[in-house]
Amino acid sequence: IQYYHQNVWIKDLDAVNGAFKVYNENFFKNIDDLNLTATVYANGVKLATVEIPETKGIAPQATKLIKSDELKYAVAEAESKHAKEEIVLNFAFASDGTQPLVDKGQVMARQQFIISDYQFAKPAVPAVAAAPTKKDKVQETSSMEVEETNSYVKVSAQRMSVTIGKKTGMIDYLDVDGEPMLKFRESMTPEFWRAPTDNDFGAGLQKKFQVWKNPVMNLKGVAVEKDKKANTISICATYEMPEVKGELEIEYLIMPNTGAMKVSQEFDASDGAKVSDLFRFGMLMQLPYDMDKSQYYGRGPIENYSDREDCMRIGIYSDDADNQYFPYIRPQESGTKGDMRWWNQTDASGFGFKVKSCKPFYASAIHFDTEELDDGDDKDQRHSFNLKKSKFTNLFLDAEHSGVAGENSWGAWPLEKYRLHYGDKDFTFVLIPLDK
């Protein structure tokens, strides 16, 4: 609301030439009390801040063309020295302190422009090779070790070790440097549901989408494949999901040369099937409680969703799991942030992992389980201060997340372009160990 109610806007930006227009949306006052600065960032790191004094004398409802050579040179230098990085330009109109009830330096209007896009890595998918011969323990290379039994497959490479249960297809153990990254078995799972918001309840989505709350996942099989050329091991679990009329495939690809693991989740929907929309498509990782420190490059610093994102600027932010949950009067979904380029989740010493994907993703880390935030089919008169904290830090990673609506709170759905319709979906991300 604050963002869209601001009274000054940047229009027709020509960053290469340092030119843009300033529109004073006020009806009765000029903007002489505001000081304009433009700050240039490369992959979230500040490079330069330029003061632009030419905004004086812009009358109410008037627009002025401004040209700044200093801004032109700052952008040119950023593009020259950081050609392969994301260049972002942040404008801020701050009060000079002459107006009543407004602090000096308080930002009264702001806008962000992406000058050059972030270059997401696209991990290559190795060709499918013949399955390895089953042995109790096989030394694949000097840097990768595979142990396979009738009940599990364990792959150790560099600093990471992962064990997949053959009866579930889920990760039983994920260790880095011998320390557990997951709290217990099957604590990295597909996620399609969120704790309904007040708007969700108003539209009855907690009932309309209920098929996605705890959908049946029947394991069809676990396949282990080795690519000698790429020196990788792939473990793929396939599930039949009869209630949502589809098939889910989860692949874990261990890359010994980097000590990282790529996780790919793919849902194959049935053509013509009539299945409801869903709230999210992603994964949940239940981490040790004290692995609660987040640093990320994306939209922040507070929660934002697909239909709530313009107000939050892309940048590098730090937070912890306690602060990421906003204590709404009634417990509900909270904390999700979008347009992630990367996300670090660690303990206080910096031990943990980095999450990267080949496209922008959503993420959050909170100290509450979804079940604790979910009132069920009907609203309960609970409050956030009544909530019981989880034993874990719950890290949510989503390829897609439904908007939270708000045209009204008694029936309106999210706008069409912010809904997650039934259909084929996929999500790929990489977990990279971080040092203390």
Side-chain angles (χ1 to χ4, degrees):
I1 295 298
Q2 180 194 36
Y3 177 73
Y4 277 107
H5 281 191
Q6 69 185 31
N7 290 317
V8 191
W9 297 95
I10 302 293
K11 296 186 175 183
D12 301 327
L13 173 66
D14 180 4
V16 173
N17 294 307
F20 56 91
K21 294 178 182 178
V22 175
Y23 171 51
N24 177 8
E25 197 179 58
N26 288 293
F27 281 99
F28 305 109
K29 67 181 291 294
N30 60 34
I31 57 171
D32 289 1
D33 60 306
L34 301 181
N35 297 319
L36 174 61
T37 57
T39 305
V40 184
Y41 294 82
N43 274 5
V45 178
K46 184 168 72 172
L47 302 180
T49 297
V50 177
E51 295 183 359
I52 304 173
E54 294 86 353
T55 58
K56 306 304 179 183
I58 304 178
Q61 293 285 294
T63 300
K64 180 181 179 180
L65 175 63
I66 293 176
K67 293 184 178 180
S68 169
D69 287 338
E70 191 176 354
L71 177 60
K72 172 183 175 180
Y73 297 140
V75 172
E77 184 176 28
E79 291 186 315
S80 174
K81 294 183 178 180
H82 304 270
K84 295 184 179 180
E85 298 180 28
E86 180 176 41
I87 307 300
V88 171
L89 184 57
N90 287 353
F91 288 95
F93 292 86
S95 171
D96 64 4
T98 60
Q99 295 294 306
L101 306 180
V102 180
D103 294 331
K104 184 177 180 179
Q106 181 175 338
V107 175
M108 306 301 291
R110 54 193 165 83
Q111 260 178 285
Q112 182 178 73
F113 295 87
I114 307 299
I115 307 303
S116 59
D117 293 331
Y118 186 82
Q119 297 185 20
F120 287 90
K122 296 185 178 180
V125 179
V128 175
T133 303
K134 291 185 177 181
K135 296 180 180 179
D136 286 342
K137 199 169 187 179
V138 182
Q139 184 72 33
E140 299 295 342
T141 69
S142 59
S143 59
M144 181 163 59
E145 193 174 87
V146 181
E147 180 180 347
E148 184 173 0
T149 70
N150 291 330
S151 58
Y152 66 85
V153 180
K154 180 179 179 180
V155 181
S156 302
Q158 297 279 4
R159 302 166 56 198
M160 183 179 289
S161 173
V162 59
T163 303
I164 310 293
K166 287 189 174 181
K167 293 183 179 180
T168 64
M170 301 292 181
I171 294 179
D172 282 345
Y173 305 101
L174 178 62
D175 300 330
V176 173
D177 296 338
E179 296 189 33
M181 306 293 281
L182 298 175
K183 196 61 181 176
F184 62 95
R185 292 182 174 182
E186 299 179 54
S187 54
M188 180 175 175
T189 54
E191 192 76 4
F192 314 101
W193 186 260
R194 73 180 180 206
T197 66
D198 280 335
N199 290 341
D200 294 334
F201 274 113
L205 302 186
Q206 81 283 6
K207 295 180 180 178
K208 293 181 173 70
F209 294 179
Q210 197 166 42
V211 70
W212 292 101
K213 189 169 185 178
N214 289 299
V216 172
M217 295 177 55
N218 297 321
L219 181 65
K220 296 177 65 176
V222 176
V224 182
E225 296 176 341
K226 172 181 63 176
D227 186 333
K228 292 184 178 179
K229 184 177 181 181
N231 190 27
T232 58
I233 290 289
S234 169
I235 304 170
C236 184
T238 305
Y239 302 87
E240 182 182 16
M241 301 182 68
E243 294 170 313
V244 294
K245 300 177 173 59
E247 186 173 281
L248 184 72
E249 183 178 279
I250 304 176
E251 181 185 34
Y252 312 94
L253 182 69
I254 292 82
M255 299 175 282
N257 294 332
T258 61
M261 179 175 69
K262 184 173 77 170
V263 180
S264 299
Q265 178 183 359
E266 184 173 339
F267 179 74
D268 184 13
S270 298
D271 293 339
K274 302 296 182 182
V275 181
S276 74
D277 290 1
L278 57 159
F279 282 130
R280 72 198 318 160
F281 183 80
M283 299 284 283
L284 166 63
M285 298 180 67
Q286 292 190 304
L287 311 174
Y289 186 88
D290 59 358
M291 194 171 285
D292 60 351
K293 308 301 179 187
S294 303
Q295 185 186 46
Y296 58 91
Y297 181 29
R299 291 195 184 274
I302 64 172
E303 66 178 29
N304 55 93
Y305 295 79
S306 58
D307 54 359
R308 290 291 187 282
E309 66 179 16
D310 290 355
C311 59
M312 291 296 105
R313 292 184 292 187
I314 291 171
I316 295 177
Y317 303 96
S318 297
D319 212 339
D320 58 49
D322 285 333
N323 193 56
Q324 290 183 58
Y325 174 77
F326 184 84
Y328 290 104
I329 295 299
R330 186 179 282 111
Q332 55 195 283
E333 157 66 26
S334 176
T336 297
K337 292 162 282 290
D339 275 340
M340 289 301 134
R341 281 80 169 114
W342 51 258
W343 181 285
N344 291 349
Q345 194 65 33
T346 69
D347 60 17
S349 73
F351 175 73
F353 55 86
K354 178 185 291 288
V355 181
K356 300 189 76 173
S357 183
C358 55
K359 59 184 180 181
F361 61 97
Y362 295 87
S364 66
I366 60 176
H367 275 152
F368 294 107
D369 298 333
T370 297
E371 295 77 12
E372 182 66 13
L373 302 177
D374 191 342
D375 276 348
D377 287 348
D378 300 295
K379 283 185 181 180
D380 196 357
Q381 296 304 319
R382 299 187 301 145
H383 303 286
S384 286
F385 61 78
N386 299 131
L387 294 172
K388 295 180 181 179
K389 283 191 174 182
S390 174
K391 298 177 181 179
F392 323 108
T393 292
N394 289 298
L395 175 63
F396 295 90
L397 304 169
D398 298 328
E400 300 178 69
H401 197 114
S402 174
V404 293
E407 287 184 295
N408 61 53
S409 60
W410 54 87
W413 287 43
L415 298 181
E416 174 65 29
K417 61 182 177 180
Y418 302 122
R419 301 177 191 173
L420 268 64
H421 295 314
Y422 176 76
D424 294 345
K425 298 190 179 300
D426 64 88
F427 182 33
T428 296
F429 60 92
V430 178
L431 299 178
I432 305 167
L434 295 175
D435 293 320
K436 293 185 179 181

